[in-house]
Amino acid sequence: MSTETIERTPPQEAVTTQHHQPQDSALRFITCGSVDDGKSTLIGRLLVDTRAVLQDQFAGITKSGETDLALLTDGLSAEREQGITIDVAYRYFSTEQRKFIIGDAPGHEQYTRNMVTAASSADAAIVLVDATKLDWKNPELDLLVQTRRHALLANLLRVPSLIFAVNKLDAVEEPALAFAHIRKQLAAFAYAAGITVRATVPVSALKGYNVVDAKAGWAGYEGPSLLQVLHTLPSTPADRDLPLAFPVQWVEKFSSSADTSQGRRVFWGRVAAGEARPGQQVTLLPSNQTATIAQVLDTVRTPSSVEAGNSAGIVLDREVDVSRGDWIVASVENTDAADDEFDDAPATQPAWPGQREVQATVAWMDDEPLVPGRVYLAQHGHRWIKAKVRRVVHRLNINTLAEEDADRLEANAIGHIELLLQEPAPVGAFQQARVLGSLILVDTASHKTAGAVLVRS
């Protein structure tokens, strides 16, 4: 397996190339693109050619000698009837080098929310580009809107690795010319959008070219296959180098003893950032009470320290009022206290202070447009807070990437908004902390998820 340079990109293209060593950890990736770009067929090809499909499963997708690979992932009856992907279908497979979790995201614009859901936890995104839908003979060809949309969404959701897979080149007359033109425009688009691209690979999902095994020289490409690239990509690291942030998911009363030398409840949840360790000074939000961590339990109730990305139970040094939805965050020295002549400032403050005013990027999913003045329910961690849309700052033009003035956002639009939360919440920039920087907005009447919010500051 090659671990050499992933992408052989001409210097004039702005695509970044990086070296990565093979990882032992599982890689979670999604495939996205327009309808009929071949996403489900590509996944079917990966499963079949890595021998992840049982013989009876393979027989089930073969009729009259014809094999329909897309049927391996189009699991819903409505999907089979319509020949499209509606919901995100997850499949698992492994090679000798690595395990993989695949999310097959829908291509229809009205199912963008499903794609956003899948991308929010992905380590990598493969954006399929159908060569037959493009004016491939034109060196200045226009990319499809969905290609731009999905690449932008993956980038906004901080998916660490993005790959363009140019599919159906076997169906054009000059695959090398088509790939050169399409690759050039993809690189130009990525450069303008500030997107780092790990690789651009020409593939034929139908015939299996460059999917699992590299087909040297085909379409003028001499690089690794798609699977070989996936082997080299890093898994998303947890936000371990940040101050502790812990959303309380469940409160367990484990003792009715009269001994109150320490708290008699365990606060369970998953560490969102940093590390929970005994002896640590913490602030409880939104109450702003302070305490010290007396004990940290792992998932088998063994006392230890627990890092971000893992579940933990926290016991505090005293009885305090903490409920599901509250946050336990690290306390840091309050530098303002030293300058306080009246010595009444607290000695510590939360490392993630509560904020009510939030600047955010939103991917709007509701059929009802987002307009200033509307109030939604925002979920941050396990806490529900009322959130009012103060202002739509701009809307992102998917075609030109320009930020345009707007006073509302329609379904599937992406824009910059200002939110006012009813209560302070310990939000952080999404680029810094994935859990702290993400919220969802829910319509208070229909209870539908209306928007995915990524905190900017």
Side-chain angles (χ1 to χ4, degrees):
M1 181 63 61
S2 170
T3 57
E4 298 177 356
T5 304
I6 295 175
E7 172 84 321
R8 293 174 173 81
T9 307
Q12 65 271 25
E13 294 186 17
V15 175
T16 300
T17 61
Q18 297 187 16
H19 295 266
H20 288 286
Q21 297 302 314
Q23 305 288 310
D24 293 330
S25 56
L27 185 81
R28 181 188 292 264
F29 69 92
I30 62 167
T31 58
C32 43
S34 300
V35 177
D36 293 332
D37 279 355
K39 301 182 297 299
S40 298
T41 302
L42 177 73
I43 294 175
R45 174 61 62 188
L46 277 169
L47 297 174
V48 169
D49 286 4
T50 55
R51 295 175 176 78
V53 177
L54 299 175
Q55 194 169 7
D56 58 338
Q57 289 178 300
F58 189 76
I61 61 172
T62 303
K63 293 181 180 178
S64 305
E66 297 283 332
T67 301
D68 188 347
L69 295 171
L71 293 179
L72 285 171
T73 54
D74 286 344
L76 300 177
S77 58
E79 292 175 337
R80 291 173 183 261
E81 289 167 2
Q82 300 181 55
I84 62 170
T85 299
I86 295 174
D87 203 353
V88 181
Y90 289 98
R91 292 299 301 256
Y92 305 83
F93 76 100
S94 61
T95 64
E96 292 181 357
Q97 292 95 334
R98 201 168 196 186
K99 295 178 181 177
F100 296 96
I101 304 170
I102 320 171
D104 181 16
H108 276 80
E109 184 175 331
Q110 62 265 41
Y111 298 123
T112 298
R113 58 184 177 273
N114 302 45
M115 181 263 170
V116 170
T117 301
S120 63
S121 60
D123 300 313
I126 299 173
V127 178
L128 258 77
V129 180
D130 185 343
T132 64
K133 293 179 180 175
L134 301 175
D135 182 17
W136 56 267
K137 293 181 180 177
N138 180 2
E140 305 300 326
L141 60 88
D142 292 325
L143 300 173
L144 296 181
V145 172
Q146 282 292 72
T147 300
R148 296 169 178 269
R149 182 191 303 278
H150 288 149
L152 283 169
L153 282 172
N155 192 50
L156 284 171
L157 291 164
R158 217 180 79 169
V159 178
S161 301
L162 187 142
I163 303 167
F164 287 120
V166 184
N167 193 24
K168 302 186 183 180
L169 283 166
D170 56 294
V172 303
E173 296 171 2
E174 300 177 70
L177 179 68
F179 179 61
H181 288 171
I182 295 170
R183 182 183 185 180
K184 176 187 171 188
Q185 292 306 309
L186 289 171
F189 160 70
Y191 176 71
I195 299 173
T196 299
V197 179
R198 299 290 189 189
T200 303
V201 183
V203 302
S204 169
L206 187 64
K207 296 186 176 179
Y209 298 166
N210 285 333
V211 177
V212 171
D213 299 314
K215 188 174 178 61
W218 181 67
Y221 176 78
E222 298 287 351
S225 70
L226 192 60
L227 181 63
Q228 289 171 331
V229 174
L230 293 173
H231 275 141
T232 66
L233 298 182
S235 299
T236 306
D239 296 317
R240 294 170 183 148
D241 298 329
L242 299 172
L244 170 67
F246 180 84
V248 177
Q249 183 176 10
W250 176 50
V251 180
E252 177 196 7
K253 185 177 181 181
F254 69 94
S255 171
S256 58
S257 168
D259 180 9
T260 57
S261 59
Q262 69 175 41
R264 291 172 293 182
R265 293 177 295 165
V266 186
F267 307 113
W268 291 98
R270 178 172 294 180
V271 181
E275 179 185 27
R277 60 180 185 278
Q280 196 172 10
Q281 302 292 314
V282 294
T283 302
L284 314 174
L285 298 174
S287 68
N288 270 318
Q289 297 179 86
T290 57
T292 301
I293 295 178
Q295 198 173 21
V296 178
L297 306 176
D298 63 15
T299 52
V300 293
R301 305 184 78 93
T302 301
S304 66
S305 297
V306 177
E307 291 186 326
N310 299 298
S311 297
I314 292 179
V315 180
L316 299 177
D317 64 333
R318 62 189 180 87
E319 287 286 4
V320 286
D321 180 16
V322 178
S323 305
R324 172 184 166 86
D326 289 357
W327 286 79
I328 299 175
V329 303
S331 295
V332 295
E333 182 181 356
N334 185 359
T335 54
D336 293 337
D339 300 329
D340 191 332
E341 296 178 357
F342 299 100
D343 196 31
D344 58 356
T348 62
Q349 61 184 13
W352 302 98
Q355 299 182 44
R356 290 189 61 205
E357 298 180 2
V358 176
Q359 300 280 332
T361 297
V362 63
W364 197 243
M365 308 173 188
D366 200 356
D367 294 333
E368 291 291 326
L370 178 150
V371 293
R374 281 287 302 270
V375 175
Y376 295 88
L377 284 174
Q379 185 181 28
H380 181 242
H382 301 292
R383 188 169 193 81
W384 290 94
I385 312 168
K386 284 189 176 178
K388 184 176 182 179
V389 180
R390 260 188 169 175
R391 187 164 77 99
V392 177
V393 181
H394 71 244
R395 174 175 46 226
L396 185 67
N397 186 314
I398 301 297
N399 294 314
T400 64
L401 305 178
E403 296 180 346
E404 301 174 340
D405 292 338
D407 57 6
R408 59 198 283 150
L409 294 179
E410 307 290 346
N412 296 305
I414 300 171
H416 175 189
I417 62 171
E418 293 178 358
L419 283 176
L420 179 64
L421 304 180
Q422 188 179 41
E423 301 172 358
V427 297
F430 184 79
Q431 289 296 325
Q432 180 187 16
R434 208 164 182 168
V435 177
L436 288 146
S438 58
L439 303 88
I440 60 169
L441 295 180
V442 174
D443 188 291
T444 55
S446 67
H447 296 160
K448 290 181 179 177
T449 301
V453 177
L454 313 175
V455 178
R456 296 164 66 103
S457 61

